[in-house]
Amino acid sequence: MSERMSENISTKKKISYGLYLCSSIVGLLLLNYGRVNQIYNLMLFALLFVLVCNLIFTIFEFRNRIAVFLFHMTLFLFLISRIFIPYLEGKAWWTRYSVEANVFAVSAIIISMISIVFGCIIYEVFTVVFPTVRVRKKKIKFIDNKKLFQAARIALFICMICFFIKEIDKLLIMSGHFYEDYYSIYKSRLPFFLKFSANCMPYVLCIYLAFKPPKIETFFVLCTYIISALPMLKIGARNPFVLNCLFAFVYYVLRDRLGENKEVWIGKFEKTIIVIAIPVFILFLGAYNYLRADEGIKMGASELAVDFMYKQGTTYDTLLQGYINQDKLPYRENQTYTFGALSNYFYHNTLGRKLFNTPDLGNGNCLKAVYNGHSFSHAISYTILGSRYIAGEGRGSSYIIENYIDWGYPGIIAFSIFLGMICMFISYGFGKNWLISTIILNIVTSIFFVPRAESCSFLLFLISYQFWITIIGIIIFSFFLSMFIKNKNNFDNIGIEG
């Protein structure tokens, strides 16, 4: 088996595996030497060394490892940039909060990056040893993929309209308020049908895209999806806009990877757009830090880009604060933060409260979420900010600090390996069938935010009743659509014969 596996693994893969092994060993040795001898800049060098080598690893098979590449880029933006920029300015970055906390944070990030790529390799080797068995697909009579696609297209049109209505409602409510107020005062005034349809829009979008629509149609749908994030951008939230853009980019790469019908999804035009868009994107988001606070912009383009990256790296501070205050977190003994997003939804949604007699966690920042939920972001925000947390401020979270507080370094290693495997599943699993592709696309909508979000937030949709109702609803709708078309054709035929 080992000889056959070696033959099946490409030369590029073997080279990248060798690079990974060497860079991981060197990175860990430099990290340990810097830690023992208190050469903290050497620890940072080890961190950057592993990051660069991991990025090179992904470039060897970029289309297959696109999710791993983007995950490392968001790791740099949300975590590493916070200490890299002070280093370039000649500052002692390791004195922020405490030296011990910084040693932990750098060590944890390196261990996580090495483990993510290890998970990637496990997945690739597993697909070689146990290749996908091709079985003859049996079509279920009442489920027609063409009718499913037509049903998803109609449902997407309806849900997208409802989503825009919901976002406009947010704009009207938040008019005259600060961005932070959104988390404490916003409450939708829309009827249930509108809210439900709006909340189902991302799920319907993923179902629609799972059927691999034509390129021109996909382009307009994804543009609409990106535009749908503009109301929240106007309020002050940049994350939905950024994640929607990343989603569109990954989808194009996935379709290009499939190479169906010899259609090029990322050609010269798309590459030109990407090259032009990236610096414009960074400068705009950097400027938006000041625009949403009604402040003037008093710096050049390069300074604005550096300022943007530094401010996005605030999640690194969350690692430090979590490490220092881990024994001060309220109700710590009864909470598991790694699965917090899943357990909060499962036990505290409308159905969960009735089944398990659990309390409502409320909307936004409140003490119910701190003491009754399993959310690290609420716990650390209340611990650090106190009354400012109640007013709407927050610290966010990161899978690294949640894994560490729950299970130490072994927790970081295990969960990071899992993340690496999920990132590879995105590329290798897409296109197998519409349901798997739908699940993959839903993962893509949020997985790149995990470095500054709850560990399992990207899997929350799997236990969401709205997701499964949407799946079942599209199937039922396609069935009635098929019956309607069949009856209409029969009626037309009768008319012709008469």
Side-chain angles (χ1 to χ4, degrees):
M1 180 181 290
S2 60
E3 291 180 3
R4 186 180 64 185
M5 182 178 70
S6 179
E7 291 175 0
N8 291 339
I9 296 176
S10 66
T11 302
K12 285 200 300 184
K13 276 191 173 72
K14 291 177 182 177
I15 295 173
S16 65
Y17 295 165
L19 171 67
Y20 162 75
L21 181 62
C22 293
S23 64
S24 298
I25 293 173
V26 172
L28 290 174
L29 289 174
L30 291 175
L31 171 69
N32 188 60
Y33 186 84
R35 180 184 62 82
V36 171
N37 295 280
Q38 300 181 354
I39 309 174
Y40 303 114
N41 278 336
L42 183 61
M43 293 180 63
L44 177 58
F45 175 80
L47 176 63
L48 296 172
F49 175 76
V50 171
L51 172 67
V52 171
C53 289
N54 281 8
L55 291 175
I56 295 173
F57 170 89
T58 63
I59 292 172
F60 271 90
E61 292 202 1
F62 185 73
R63 291 192 300 176
N64 292 336
R65 299 168 179 172
I66 175 63
V68 183
F69 174 86
L70 290 176
F71 198 91
H72 277 75
M73 294 303 293
T74 55
L75 267 173
F76 173 80
L77 182 63
F78 296 140
L79 294 170
I80 302 172
S81 63
R82 193 69 163 189
I83 55 177
F84 178 60
I85 291 172
Y87 164 74
L88 294 179
E89 296 172 346
K91 297 178 181 178
W93 55 267
W94 58 87
T95 58
R96 191 175 182 85
Y97 291 97
S98 76
V99 173
E100 183 183 0
N102 280 277
V103 169
F104 152 74
V106 173
S107 303
I109 296 171
I110 290 179
I111 290 171
S112 177
M113 289 194 298
I114 291 173
S115 301
I116 287 171
V117 175
F118 185 61
C120 164
I121 294 173
I122 290 175
Y123 190 97
E124 287 187 337
V125 172
F126 186 84
T127 57
V128 170
V129 178
F130 303 102
T132 304
V133 178
R134 297 188 179 219
V135 294
R136 190 175 180 182
K137 296 180 181 178
K138 294 182 179 179
K139 293 184 178 180
I140 303 174
K141 288 184 179 180
F142 74 90
I143 297 182
D144 186 319
N145 280 359
K146 290 183 179 179
K147 297 300 184 294
L148 279 170
F149 175 63
Q150 291 173 358
R153 181 189 277 160
I154 296 170
L156 179 61
F157 179 76
I158 296 170
C159 290
M160 190 65 79
I161 292 175
C162 294
F163 187 82
F164 272 102
I165 293 172
K166 179 185 176 184
E167 297 305 288
I168 291 171
D169 179 61
K170 290 179 182 179
L171 274 178
L172 294 175
I173 292 177
M174 293 304 298
S175 179
H177 295 280
F178 292 106
Y179 161 62
E180 291 80 5
D181 297 333
Y182 172 78
Y183 298 99
S184 57
I185 70 170
Y186 172 71
K187 189 174 182 180
S188 178
R189 304 170 295 184
L190 300 175
F192 173 78
F193 172 78
L194 270 174
K195 287 191 295 184
F196 184 84
S197 299
N199 292 337
C200 290
M201 186 277 290
Y203 304 142
V204 179
L205 173 71
C206 291
I207 296 172
Y208 166 82
L209 293 174
F211 286 105
K212 297 173 285 188
K215 185 177 179 180
I216 186 65
E217 186 176 332
T218 302
F219 174 78
F220 285 109
V221 168
L222 288 176
C223 282
T224 305
Y225 180 57
I226 292 171
I227 291 171
S228 71
L230 292 181
M232 281 302 295
L233 186 66
K234 177 68 170 63
I235 292 172
R238 293 167 302 192
N239 296 331
F241 181 71
V242 174
L243 290 174
N244 288 9
C245 290
L246 277 177
F247 175 84
F249 172 68
V250 172
Y251 184 77
Y252 262 66
V253 174
L254 292 177
R255 290 296 299 274
D256 190 64
R257 177 183 177 275
L258 290 179
E260 295 180 338
N261 302 320
K262 296 182 180 180
E263 191 172 26
V264 178
W265 279 73
I266 303 182
K268 292 181 179 179
F269 173 75
E270 288 80 13
K271 289 176 182 177
T272 302
I273 293 296
I274 292 170
V275 170
I276 295 174
I278 289 175
V280 174
F281 197 66
I282 292 174
L283 291 177
F284 167 72
L285 294 177
Y288 196 68
N289 278 327
Y290 299 94
L291 294 175
R292 73 177 182 180
D294 293 326
E295 297 178 6
I297 303 172
K298 302 177 181 178
M299 57 182 71
S302 59
E303 294 174 310
L304 200 59
V306 171
D307 181 72
F308 165 72
M309 288 191 290
Y310 180 77
K311 288 183 176 177
Q312 286 301 299
T314 183
T315 306
Y316 181 82
D317 288 350
T318 303
L319 297 189
L320 304 182
Q321 292 168 338
Y323 181 81
I324 293 171
N325 296 284
Q326 56 185 304
D327 295 328
K328 301 176 184 176
L329 297 173
Y331 213 46
R332 171 69 194 98
E333 62 277 7
N334 293 309
Q335 294 175 324
T336 303
Y337 297 124
T338 299
F339 304 111
L342 301 178
S343 60
N344 279 356
Y345 181 85
F346 185 78
Y347 289 108
H348 298 277
N349 65 11
T350 304
L351 181 61
R353 292 197 300 271
K354 293 179 180 179
L355 292 176
F356 305 106
N357 194 29
T358 52
D360 184 1
L361 296 183
N363 295 317
N365 296 359
C366 61
L367 293 179
K368 291 180 181 179
V370 174
Y371 286 98
N372 296 311
H374 293 258
S375 172
F376 175 79
S377 60
H378 284 282
I380 192 64
S381 297
Y382 179 67
T383 301
I384 299 297
L385 302 172
S387 60
R388 288 161 56 196
Y389 159 78
I390 304 298
E393 294 186 42
R395 287 298 311 149
S397 187
S398 174
Y399 74 96
I400 289 178
I401 190 62
E402 290 182 354
N403 301 160
Y404 178 79
I405 290 179
D406 286 339
W407 300 298
Y409 286 110
I412 296 175
I413 294 171
F415 194 81
S416 297
I417 290 174
F418 172 70
L419 284 174
M421 296 177 72
I422 290 293
C423 285
M424 295 309 297
F425 173 64
I426 289 172
S427 293
Y428 283 89
F430 181 78
K432 300 296 183 185
N433 63 62
W434 71 269
L435 182 56
I436 291 177
S437 296
T438 297
I439 291 172
I440 286 171
L441 292 177
N442 273 280
I443 290 173
V444 172
T445 60
S446 55
I447 191 171
F448 303 118
F449 200 59
V450 170
R452 72 178 309 173
E454 294 170 305
S455 302
C456 293
S457 56
F458 69 99
L459 296 174
L460 185 58
F461 72 94
L462 287 174
I463 62 170
S464 168
Y465 70 90
Q466 289 177 330
F467 173 73
W468 294 109
I469 286 176
T470 302
I471 295 287
I472 296 170
I474 294 293
I475 294 174
I476 294 173
F477 183 36
S478 71
F479 173 72
F480 283 109
L481 189 65
S482 179
M483 292 294 293
F484 172 78
I485 294 173
K486 183 178 180 181
N487 291 335
K488 185 177 182 299
N489 290 337
N490 290 338
F491 177 80
D492 291 341
N493 291 334
I494 292 171
I496 292 171
E497 291 173 2

